[in-house]
Amino acid sequence: MENKNLVSITDYSKEEIFEILDLAADFEKNPNQNLLDNKVIATLFFEPSTRTRLSFESAISRLGGKYIGFTDASSSSVSKGESLKDTIMTVANYSDMIIMRHPIEGSARWASEVSRVPVVNAGDGANQHPTQTLLDLYSIRKTQGTLDNLDIFFVGDLKYGRTVHSLLQAMAMFNTTYHFISPKELRIPDEYKLFLDRKGLKYHEHREFDGIISDADIIYMTRIQRERFSDPMEYEKTKNSYVLKNGMLDNTKSNMKVLHPLPRVNEIDTDVDENEKAYYFTQALNGVYTRQAIITHILGLKK
Ligand code: CP
């Protein structure tokens, strides 16, 4: 087993990422494999989720495993004041792996340090969402035939968007050119620009959206996340900053795909859904295969 936990995408080497993507391709061809007989996996969601939790639970079910957990911390003893450490140490007694989403940045790292079973980060605040990144990489490689030398346009909440932060770091292994389109209040944090500077990678920041996407291989749309704002006025000011409309895709490259980690609110018009360049629902489906790959890789059940 090369890596027990998956807390940050930077925990994985390029080789390990390719291993996961190849395994996911295998699961796409043959999703029902009884590899998790007698395994119990805990899904602890301290924040709401549709895709991450259900695709993990679907992945576990298709692998013949069982899952336990909660979808709301208020139904657990956290509501009585139990600490994250005590929760994790207890749940580690009941399971072979813990998949956790939590609103606090660094919580997954902390959990992995106190757990005696592997911990998978299903999103920690505005920090990281590495399993989303692996399914994003799978989706990009599948649609583009490569991960190398692509132009990726990240649009929306680049400040609090954990899916953006993780994917940006992963794509740095593949000589990516980055375009960041956001309102100034939600621009990409300096630490990520420094990270790209150190790698010698090109990035461009924009405030406007329409008319600049003709070079894109991938447009990665994101939601302005109301739950991350401490000031509701800031959310109101930025919430409708960018809306992708079907006509805007007319002059884009034929290979170009629109990705979105979802959920969407109004940042992609629903008429885009029928466009062959819209890939976000298939991207969500790819989450099942990728998460099957992550689980079996971490548990050493498949090489
Ligand atoms: N992409 C993603 O994390 O979606 P959910 O919040 O529905 O899990």
Coordinates of all heavy atoms in Angstrom, one line a residue, residues 116-178:
R116 N -6.9 4.8 13.2 CA -6.1 3.6 12.9 C -6.6 2.9 11.6 O -6.0 2.0 11.2 CB -6.1 2.6 14.1 CG -7.5 2.1 14.5 CD -7.4 1.2 15.7 NE -8.7 0.6 15.9 CZ -9.2 -0.5 15.3 NH1 -8.5 -1.1 14.3 NH2 -10.4 -1.0 15.5
V117 N -7.6 3.5 11.0 CA -8.0 3.0 9.7 C -7.8 4.2 8.7 O -7.8 5.3 9.1 CB -9.4 2.5 9.6 CG1 -9.6 1.3 10.6 CG2 -10.5 3.6 9.9
P118 N -7.6 3.9 7.4 CA -7.4 5.0 6.4 C -8.6 6.0 6.4 O -9.7 5.6 6.6 CB -7.4 4.2 5.1 CG -7.0 2.8 5.4 CD -7.6 2.5 6.7
V119 N -8.2 7.3 6.2 CA -9.1 8.3 6.1 C -9.1 8.9 4.7 O -8.0 9.2 4.2 CB -8.8 9.4 7.2 CG1 -9.7 10.7 6.9 CG2 -9.1 8.9 8.6
V120 N -10.3 9.1 4.1 CA -10.4 9.8 2.8 C -11.1 11.1 3.0 O -12.2 11.1 3.6 CB -11.1 8.8 1.8 CG1 -11.4 9.6 0.5 CG2 -10.3 7.5 1.6
N121 N -10.5 12.1 2.5 CA -11.1 13.5 2.6 C -12.1 13.7 1.5 O -11.8 13.7 0.3 CB -9.9 14.5 2.5 CG -10.4 15.9 2.6 OD1 -11.6 16.2 2.9 ND2 -9.5 16.9 2.4
A122 N -13.4 13.8 1.9 CA -14.4 14.1 1.0 C -14.8 15.6 0.9 O -15.9 15.9 0.5 CB -15.7 13.3 1.4
G123 N -13.8 16.4 1.3 CA -14.0 17.8 1.3 C -13.8 18.4 2.6 O -14.5 18.0 3.6
D124 N -12.8 19.3 2.8 CA -12.6 20.0 4.1 C -12.6 21.5 3.9 O -11.6 22.1 3.5 CB -11.3 19.5 4.8 CG -10.0 19.8 4.1 OD1 -10.0 19.7 2.9 OD2 -9.0 20.0 4.8
G125 N -13.7 22.1 4.2 CA -13.9 23.5 4.1 C -13.5 24.0 2.7 O -13.8 23.3 1.7
A126 N -12.7 25.1 2.6 CA -12.3 25.6 1.3 C -11.0 25.0 0.9 O -10.4 25.5 -0.1 CB -12.2 27.1 1.4
N127 N -10.5 24.0 1.5 CA -9.2 23.5 1.3 C -9.0 22.6 0.1 O -8.5 22.9 -0.9 CB -8.6 22.9 2.6 CG -7.2 22.5 2.5 OD1 -6.4 23.1 1.9 ND2 -6.9 21.4 3.2
Q128 N -9.5 21.3 0.3 CA -9.2 20.3 -0.7 C -10.4 19.4 -0.9 O -11.2 19.2 0.0 CB -8.1 19.4 -0.1 CG -6.7 19.9 -0.3 CD -6.0 19.6 -1.6 OE1 -6.2 18.5 -2.1 NE2 -5.3 20.5 -2.2
H129 N -10.5 18.8 -2.1 CA -11.5 17.8 -2.4 C -10.8 16.8 -3.3 O -11.1 16.7 -4.5 CB -12.7 18.5 -3.0 CG -14.0 17.7 -3.1 ND1 -14.0 16.3 -2.8 CD2 -15.2 18.0 -3.4 CE1 -15.3 15.9 -3.0 NE2 -16.0 16.9 -3.3
P130 N -9.9 16.0 -2.8 CA -9.1 15.2 -3.7 C -9.8 14.1 -4.5 O -9.4 13.8 -5.6 CB -8.0 14.6 -2.7 CG -8.6 14.6 -1.4 CD -9.5 15.8 -1.4
T131 N -10.9 13.5 -3.9 CA -11.6 12.5 -4.7 C -12.3 13.1 -5.9 O -12.4 12.5 -6.9 CB -12.5 11.6 -3.8 OG1 -13.7 12.4 -3.4 CG2 -11.8 11.1 -2.6
Q132 N -12.8 14.4 -5.7 CA -13.4 15.1 -6.8 C -12.3 15.3 -7.9 O -12.6 15.2 -9.1 CB -13.9 16.4 -6.4 CG -14.5 17.3 -7.5 CD -15.8 16.8 -8.0 OE1 -16.7 16.4 -7.3 NE2 -16.0 16.9 -9.4
T133 N -11.1 15.6 -7.4 CA -10.0 15.9 -8.4 C -9.7 14.7 -9.2 O -9.5 14.8 -10.4 CB -8.8 16.4 -7.6 OG1 -9.1 17.6 -7.0 CG2 -7.6 16.6 -8.6
L134 N -9.7 13.5 -8.6 CA -9.4 12.3 -9.3 C -10.5 12.0 -10.4 O -10.2 11.6 -11.5 CB -9.2 11.1 -8.4 CG -7.8 11.2 -7.6 CD1 -7.8 10.3 -6.4 CD2 -6.7 10.9 -8.6
L135 N -11.7 12.3 -10.0 CA -12.8 12.0 -11.0 C -12.7 13.1 -12.1 O -13.1 12.9 -13.3 CB -14.2 11.9 -10.4 CG -14.9 13.1 -9.9 CD1 -15.8 13.7 -11.1 CD2 -15.8 12.8 -8.8
D136 N -12.3 14.3 -11.7 CA -12.1 15.4 -12.7 C -11.0 15.0 -13.7 O -11.1 15.2 -14.9 CB -11.8 16.7 -12.1 CG -12.9 17.3 -11.3 OD1 -14.1 16.9 -11.5 OD2 -12.7 18.2 -10.4
L137 N -9.9 14.5 -13.2 CA -8.8 14.0 -14.0 C -9.2 12.9 -14.9 O -8.9 12.9 -16.1 CB -7.6 13.6 -13.2 CG -6.9 14.7 -12.3 CD1 -5.8 14.0 -11.4 CD2 -6.3 15.7 -13.2
Y138 N -10.0 12.0 -14.4 CA -10.5 10.9 -15.2 C -11.4 11.4 -16.3 O -11.2 11.0 -17.5 CB -11.4 10.0 -14.3 CG -11.9 8.7 -15.0 CD1 -11.0 7.7 -15.2 CD2 -13.2 8.7 -15.5 CE1 -11.5 6.5 -15.9 CE2 -13.6 7.5 -16.1 CZ -12.8 6.5 -16.3 OH -13.2 5.3 -17.0
S139 N -12.2 12.4 -16.0 CA -13.1 13.0 -17.0 C -12.3 13.8 -18.1 O -12.6 13.7 -19.3 CB -14.1 14.0 -16.4 OG -14.9 13.3 -15.4
I140 N -11.3 14.5 -17.7 CA -10.5 15.3 -18.6 C -9.7 14.3 -19.5 O -9.7 14.5 -20.7 CB -9.5 16.2 -17.8 CG1 -10.3 17.3 -17.1 CG2 -8.5 16.9 -18.8 CD1 -9.5 18.1 -16.1
R141 N -9.1 13.3 -18.9 CA -8.3 12.4 -19.8 C -9.2 11.6 -20.8 O -8.9 11.4 -21.9 CB -7.5 11.4 -18.9 CG -6.6 10.5 -19.7 CD -5.7 9.6 -18.9 NE -6.5 8.5 -18.4 CZ -5.9 7.3 -17.9 NH1 -4.5 7.2 -17.8 NH2 -6.6 6.3 -17.4
K142 N -10.4 11.3 -20.3 CA -11.3 10.5 -21.1 C -11.8 11.4 -22.3 O -12.0 10.9 -23.4 CB -12.5 10.1 -20.3 CG -13.4 9.1 -20.9 CD -14.4 8.5 -20.0 CE -15.4 7.8 -20.9 NZ -16.0 6.7 -20.7
T143 N -12.1 12.7 -22.1 CA -12.6 13.5 -23.1 C -11.5 14.1 -24.0 O -11.8 14.4 -25.2 CB -13.5 14.6 -22.6 OG1 -12.6 15.5 -21.7 CG2 -14.7 14.1 -21.8
Q144 N -10.3 14.3 -23.5 CA -9.3 14.9 -24.2 C -8.2 13.9 -24.8 O -7.4 14.3 -25.6 CB -8.5 16.0 -23.4 CG -9.5 17.0 -22.7 CD -10.3 17.8 -23.8 OE1 -9.7 18.3 -24.7 NE2 -11.6 17.9 -23.6
G145 N -8.3 12.7 -24.2 CA -7.3 11.7 -24.6 C -5.9 11.9 -24.0 O -5.0 11.1 -24.2
T146 N -5.8 13.0 -23.2 CA -4.5 13.3 -22.6 C -4.7 14.2 -21.4 O -5.8 14.9 -21.4 CB -3.5 13.9 -23.6 OG1 -2.3 14.2 -22.9 CG2 -4.0 15.2 -24.1
L147 N -3.8 14.3 -20.5 CA -3.8 15.4 -19.5 C -2.8 16.5 -19.8 O -2.7 17.5 -19.1 CB -3.6 14.8 -18.1 CG -4.7 13.9 -17.6 CD1 -4.2 13.1 -16.3 CD2 -5.9 14.6 -17.3
D148 N -2.0 16.3 -20.8 CA -0.8 17.2 -21.0 C -1.2 18.4 -21.9 O -2.0 18.3 -22.8 CB 0.3 16.4 -21.8 CG 0.9 15.3 -20.9 OD1 1.1 15.6 -19.7 OD2 1.1 14.2 -21.4
N149 N -0.6 19.5 -21.5 CA -0.6 20.7 -22.4 C -2.0 21.3 -22.7 O -2.2 21.7 -23.8 CB 0.1 20.4 -23.7 CG 1.5 19.9 -23.5 OD1 2.3 20.4 -22.6 ND2 1.9 18.8 -24.2
L150 N -2.9 21.2 -21.7 CA -4.2 21.7 -21.9 C -4.4 23.1 -21.4 O -3.7 23.6 -20.5 CB -5.2 20.8 -21.2 CG -5.2 19.3 -21.7 CD1 -6.1 18.5 -20.8 CD2 -5.7 19.2 -23.2
D151 N -5.4 23.9 -22.0 CA -5.8 25.2 -21.5 C -7.1 25.0 -20.6 O -8.1 24.6 -21.2 CB -6.1 26.1 -22.6 CG -4.8 26.8 -23.1 OD1 -3.9 26.1 -23.6 OD2 -4.7 28.0 -23.0
I152 N -7.0 25.3 -19.3 CA -8.2 25.1 -18.5 C -8.6 26.5 -18.0 O -7.8 27.3 -17.5 CB -7.9 24.2 -17.3 CG1 -7.4 22.8 -17.8 CG2 -9.1 24.0 -16.4 CD1 -7.4 21.7 -16.8
F153 N -9.9 26.7 -18.1 CA -10.5 28.0 -17.7 C -11.3 27.7 -16.4 O -12.3 26.9 -16.5 CB -11.4 28.6 -18.7 CG -10.6 29.2 -19.9 CD1 -9.8 28.5 -20.7 CD2 -10.8 30.6 -20.2 CE1 -9.1 29.1 -21.7 CE2 -10.1 31.2 -21.2 CZ -9.2 30.4 -22.0
F154 N -10.9 28.2 -15.3 CA -11.6 28.0 -14.0 C -12.5 29.3 -13.9 O -12.0 30.4 -13.9 CB -10.7 27.9 -12.8 CG -9.9 26.6 -12.8 CD1 -8.6 26.6 -13.3 CD2 -10.4 25.5 -12.2 CE1 -7.9 25.4 -13.2 CE2 -9.7 24.3 -12.1 CZ -8.4 24.3 -12.6
V155 N -13.8 29.1 -13.6 CA -14.7 30.2 -13.6 C -15.5 30.2 -12.3 O -16.1 29.1 -11.9 CB -15.7 30.1 -14.8 CG1 -16.6 31.3 -14.8 CG2 -15.0 29.9 -16.1
G156 N -15.6 31.3 -11.6 CA -16.6 31.5 -10.5 C -15.8 31.7 -9.2 O -15.1 32.7 -9.1
D157 N -16.1 30.9 -8.2 CA -15.6 31.1 -6.8 C -14.2 30.4 -6.7 O -14.1 29.2 -6.4 CB -16.5 30.5 -5.8 CG -16.0 30.6 -4.4 OD1 -14.8 31.1 -4.2 OD2 -16.7 30.2 -3.5
L158 N -13.2 31.1 -7.0 CA -11.8 30.5 -7.0 C -11.1 30.7 -5.7 O -10.1 30.1 -5.4 CB -11.0 31.2 -8.1 CG -11.7 31.2 -9.5 CD1 -10.7 31.6 -10.6 CD2 -12.2 29.8 -9.9
K159 N -11.8 31.5 -4.8 CA -11.2 31.8 -3.5 C -11.6 30.6 -2.5 O -10.7 30.0 -1.9 CB -11.8 33.1 -2.9 CG -11.3 33.4 -1.5 CD -11.8 34.7 -1.1 CE -11.4 35.1 0.4 NZ -12.0 36.3 0.8
Y160 N -12.9 30.3 -2.4 CA -13.3 29.2 -1.5 C -13.5 27.9 -2.2 O -13.8 26.9 -1.5 CB -14.6 29.6 -0.9 CG -14.6 30.9 -0.1 CD1 -15.4 32.0 -0.5 CD2 -13.9 31.0 1.1 CE1 -15.4 33.2 0.2 CE2 -13.9 32.2 1.8 CZ -14.6 33.3 1.3 OH -14.6 34.5 2.0
G161 N -13.3 27.8 -3.5 CA -13.6 26.6 -4.2 C -12.5 25.5 -4.0 O -11.5 25.5 -4.7
R162 N -12.8 24.5 -3.2 CA -11.9 23.4 -2.9 C -11.6 22.6 -4.1 O -10.5 22.0 -4.3 CB -12.3 22.6 -1.7 CG -13.7 22.0 -1.8 CD -14.2 21.4 -0.5 NE -15.5 20.9 -0.6 CZ -16.3 20.8 0.5 NH1 -15.9 21.1 1.7 NH2 -17.6 20.3 0.3
T163 N -12.6 22.4 -4.9 CA -12.4 21.6 -6.1 C -11.4 22.2 -7.1 O -10.6 21.6 -7.7 CB -13.7 21.3 -6.9 OG1 -14.2 22.6 -7.4 CG2 -14.8 20.7 -6.0
V164 N -11.5 23.6 -7.1 CA -10.5 24.3 -7.9 C -9.1 24.2 -7.4 O -8.1 23.9 -8.1 CB -10.9 25.8 -8.0 CG1 -9.8 26.7 -8.6 CG2 -12.2 26.0 -8.7
H165 N -9.0 24.3 -6.1 CA -7.6 24.3 -5.4 C -7.0 22.9 -5.7 O -5.8 22.8 -6.0 CB -7.7 24.6 -3.9 CG -8.4 25.9 -3.7 ND1 -9.0 26.2 -2.5 CD2 -8.5 27.0 -4.4 CE1 -9.4 27.5 -2.5 NE2 -9.2 28.0 -3.7
S166 N -7.7 21.8 -5.5 CA -7.2 20.5 -5.7 C -6.8 20.2 -7.1 O -5.8 19.7 -7.4 CB -8.1 19.4 -5.2 OG -8.6 19.5 -3.9
L167 N -7.7 20.6 -8.0 CA -7.5 20.3 -9.4 C -6.3 21.1 -10.0 O -5.5 20.6 -10.8 CB -8.8 20.6 -10.3 CG -8.7 20.2 -11.7 CD1 -8.3 18.8 -12.0 CD2 -10.0 20.5 -12.4
L168 N -6.3 22.4 -9.6 CA -5.1 23.2 -10.0 C -3.8 22.6 -9.6 O -2.9 22.5 -10.4 CB -5.3 24.6 -9.3 CG -4.2 25.7 -9.4 CD1 -4.9 27.0 -9.1 CD2 -3.1 25.5 -8.4
Q169 N -3.7 22.0 -8.4 CA -2.5 21.4 -8.0 C -2.2 20.2 -8.8 O -1.0 19.9 -9.2 CB -2.5 21.1 -6.5 CG -2.5 22.3 -5.6 CD -2.5 22.0 -4.1 OE1 -3.3 21.2 -3.7 NE2 -1.7 22.7 -3.3
A170 N -3.2 19.4 -9.0 CA -3.0 18.1 -9.8 C -2.5 18.4 -11.2 O -1.6 17.8 -11.7 CB -4.2 17.3 -9.8
M171 N -3.2 19.4 -11.8 CA -2.9 19.7 -13.2 C -1.5 20.3 -13.4 O -1.0 20.4 -14.5 CB -4.0 20.6 -13.8 CG -5.3 19.9 -14.1 SD -5.3 18.5 -15.1 CE -4.7 19.1 -16.7
A172 N -0.9 20.8 -12.3 CA 0.4 21.3 -12.4 C 1.5 20.2 -12.8 O 2.6 20.6 -13.2 CB 0.8 21.9 -11.1
M173 N 1.1 19.0 -12.7 CA 2.0 17.9 -13.2 C 2.0 17.7 -14.7 O 2.7 16.9 -15.2 CB 1.5 16.6 -12.6 CG 1.6 16.5 -11.1 SD 1.0 14.8 -10.5 CE 0.5 15.2 -8.9
F174 N 1.1 18.5 -15.4 CA 0.8 18.2 -16.8 C 1.0 19.4 -17.7 O 0.4 19.5 -18.7 CB -0.6 17.6 -17.0 CG -0.8 16.3 -16.1 CD1 -1.5 16.4 -14.9 CD2 -0.2 15.1 -16.5 CE1 -1.7 15.3 -14.1 CE2 -0.4 14.0 -15.7 CZ -1.1 14.1 -14.5
N175 N 1.8 20.3 -17.3 CA 2.1 21.5 -18.1 C 0.9 22.2 -18.6 O 0.7 22.6 -19.8 CB 3.0 21.1 -19.3 CG 3.6 22.3 -20.0 OD1 3.9 23.3 -19.4 ND2 3.7 22.3 -21.3
T176 N 0.0 22.5 -17.7 CA -1.3 23.1 -18.0 C -1.1 24.7 -18.1 O -0.2 25.2 -17.4 CB -2.3 22.9 -16.8 OG1 -2.4 21.5 -16.7 CG2 -3.6 23.5 -17.0
T177 N -1.9 25.3 -19.0 CA -2.0 26.8 -19.0 C -3.4 27.1 -18.3 O -4.4 26.6 -18.7 CB -2.0 27.3 -20.4 OG1 -0.7 26.9 -21.0 CG2 -2.1 28.8 -20.4
Y178 N -3.3 27.9 -17.3 CA -4.5 28.2 -16.5 C -5.1 29.6 -16.8 O -4.3 30.6 -17.0 CB -4.1 28.3 -15.0 CG -3.5 27.0 -14.4 CD1 -2.2 26.7 -14.6 CD2 -4.3 26.1 -13.7 CE1 -1.6 25.5 -14.1 CE2 -3.8 24.9 -13.2 CZ -2.5 24.6 -13.4 OH -1.9 23.5 -12.9

